[in-house]
Amino acid sequence: MAGKLLNLLALTSVVLYASTYIATPVNALSSGHQHLNRQISHEILAKRNKLNSNVKRCKQRPPTSISVSSVISSSIPTSSVVISTAPVSSPKPSSSAAQAPSPSKTVSTTPSSTPTGTGNGGNKKVGLAWANGPTSDLQFYATGSVNWVYSWDPYTPDPDNKYNLEYMPMLWGPNQVNDFESVVKAGYAKYILGFNEPNESGQSNLSPQAAATLWQQHIEPKRALGYQTCSPATSSNPNGFTWMQNFFTACDGGCTVDFICVHWYDVLASDFQTYVEKWHTTYNKDIFITEFAPQNFNGGAQPSLGDIWNFYQTVMPWIQQTSYIKGAFPFGFMHDMSNVNIADQLMATSGQPTDLGYYIINGNY
């Protein structure tokens, strides 16, 4: 009996000793490991994205039909005022993506290798705000409805003029003066675009007085070479209209503008039309809408893909029918949408147009 009691006491001592060194519970360990794994996966993705960004794209295969489901949407941060945020050279990548809803209307959208839609009655008003460089993807957008292209700098994305598009060099701001003067010579183009959103600190950020001086030094002299000139394009921030009025005051008659350029980002087609009409009524000049998209920069939800389709199916016929609108450049025919809702994207990963992009460039409205 005493022996059994001693054995029992010994066994109890072993159990108590061992329990003192048992590891932390599994759920606590798994939490730490999950955090480490998330961090590792983020580092791998970052390295992979950096590597992919340096890989040259292969020559495009003949295009196939692109479904609307290839367009993706994301929820993005918004600002407190209506402003546009065009890139200096190319937009920053969107941070997230999710599947977009189907459009509210059905449109036939099977592209050919070189789309040639002419359903707009011969008006060639569609323009390409092109941040993709001199790529062969441009062939997919040279339709019977597309006439204009610019790239937020003085350099054409079509140096050999393969696609017969009217290129418009831009003097984005003071940091591009040397490039602008080196390439914008007689015969290089016919139109010059003025400064990009000078009323925004994140863009060319020019006072009206500084802009007037820069214009008189570098843009006004180009008129002697045969160029027509297009005004600076302010964002649709309400202070943009005041900025333009002050710009013309500062010019004191020394800035000749043939066309007014405007940018617009908001939600309602009716507000877009009213905004463009206001600029035309004020200055009584033809208008280039060099950036626009249904995009909410005022807080709240972004338009759905169905809303975006409805917007373009309203405004594109209006643009074609409005005589004072010289050209319109939807944002964006590009892979990288900066901080604009990626549901507005008009270019698929293949480099070809999305269904919505195809609708816009083929003029069947």
Side-chain angles (χ1 to χ4, degrees):
M1 185 68 178
K4 291 183 177 179
L5 182 59
L6 289 173
N7 288 338
L8 181 59
L9 290 173
L11 179 61
T12 302
S13 298
V14 170
V15 170
L16 291 173
Y17 178 82
S19 67
T20 304
Y21 293 93
I22 289 178
T24 308
V26 172
N27 60 343
L29 273 177
S30 63
S31 175
H33 289 169
Q34 287 171 0
H35 177 77
L36 179 61
N37 288 338
R38 286 198 300 271
Q39 183 176 349
I40 291 173
S41 67
H42 289 169
E43 290 175 355
I44 292 173
L45 285 174
K47 291 178 181 178
R48 185 180 301 159
N49 289 338
K50 183 177 181 181
L51 177 62
N52 289 341
S53 68
N54 294 324
V55 176
K56 292 184 178 180
R57 299 181 61 206
C58 298
K59 185 177 181 180
Q60 293 294 326
R61 293 177 295 176
T64 57
S65 178
I66 305 169
S67 66
V68 171
S69 62
S70 65
V71 185
I72 52 179
S73 65
S74 67
S75 176
I76 64 174
T78 54
S79 63
S80 60
V81 295
V82 180
I83 61 171
S84 64
T85 51
V88 178
S89 56
S90 63
K92 296 179 180 179
S94 177
S95 59
S96 62
Q99 188 68 30
S102 299
S104 60
K105 299 182 182 181
T106 301
V107 179
S108 176
T109 55
T110 305
S112 60
S113 57
T114 304
T116 57
T118 56
N120 56 19
N123 292 330
K124 297 183 66 172
K125 292 189 176 183
V126 178
L128 305 174
W130 192 259
N132 311 296
T135 168
S136 61
D137 290 346
L138 198 57
Q139 67 180 300
F140 302 127
Y141 302 88
T143 74
S145 297
V146 176
N147 189 60
W148 314 96
V149 62
Y150 79 91
S151 53
W152 287 280
D153 60 33
Y155 297 103
T156 174
D158 184 19
D160 299 323
N161 197 26
K162 294 179 182 177
Y163 307 114
N164 198 31
L165 298 172
E166 190 78 62
Y167 175 63
M168 307 173 78
M170 173 188 285
L171 179 53
W172 188 91
N175 62 336
Q176 286 189 354
V177 164
N178 290 339
D179 290 341
F180 181 81
E181 291 292 357
S182 69
V183 300
V184 181
K185 307 292 187 181
Y188 179 67
K190 298 178 183 177
Y191 302 83
I192 290 173
L193 296 178
F195 318 118
N196 188 76
E197 299 189 354
N199 61 314
E200 296 294 341
S201 60
Q203 296 298 317
S204 61
N205 191 27
L206 289 163
S207 70
Q209 295 73 25
T213 299
L214 199 63
W215 183 286
Q216 291 166 357
Q217 290 174 341
H218 300 285
I219 294 180
E220 191 70 19
K222 303 297 183 187
R223 297 183 61 81
L225 303 180
Y227 284 92
Q228 291 186 285
T229 49
C230 310
S231 77
T234 64
S235 73
S236 47
N237 185 324
N239 68 17
F241 198 80
T242 301
W243 187 98
M244 190 70 76
Q245 292 175 317
N246 291 336
F247 167 74
F248 283 115
T249 298
C251 284
D252 193 23
C255 306
T256 310
V257 169
D258 297 299
F259 306 98
I260 297 293
C261 291
V262 302
H263 290 180
W264 184 90
Y265 292 92
D266 209 340
V267 177
L268 299 179
S270 57
D271 289 346
F272 172 70
Q273 292 167 322
T274 299
Y275 183 78
V276 174
E277 288 168 355
K278 177 182 178 180
W279 284 88
H280 171 66
T281 300
T282 300
Y283 292 105
N284 194 30
K285 292 182 181 293
D286 287 351
I287 302 290
F288 280 106
I289 311 165
T290 47
E291 284 185 41
F292 72 103
Q295 155 73 30
N296 188 349
F297 277 120
N298 295 311
Q302 294 300 328
S304 68
L305 186 55
D307 295 333
I308 293 169
W309 269 89
N310 286 335
F311 173 85
Y312 280 111
Q313 288 175 323
T314 299
V315 305
M316 292 311 299
W318 174 75
I319 286 169
Q320 292 294 349
Q321 296 160 12
T322 302
S323 60
Y324 66 77
I325 298 178
K326 185 80 169 177
F329 299 71
F331 195 100
F333 291 107
M334 58 191 67
H335 295 288
D336 185 342
M337 290 292 286
S338 189
N339 62 345
V340 174
N341 186 358
I342 204 167
D344 285 308
Q345 192 167 32
L346 305 175
M347 174 185 281
T349 55
S350 65
Q352 302 169 36
T354 62
D355 284 353
L356 181 56
Y358 185 82
Y359 165 76
I360 290 171
I361 66 175
N362 278 277
N364 295 315
Y365 33 78

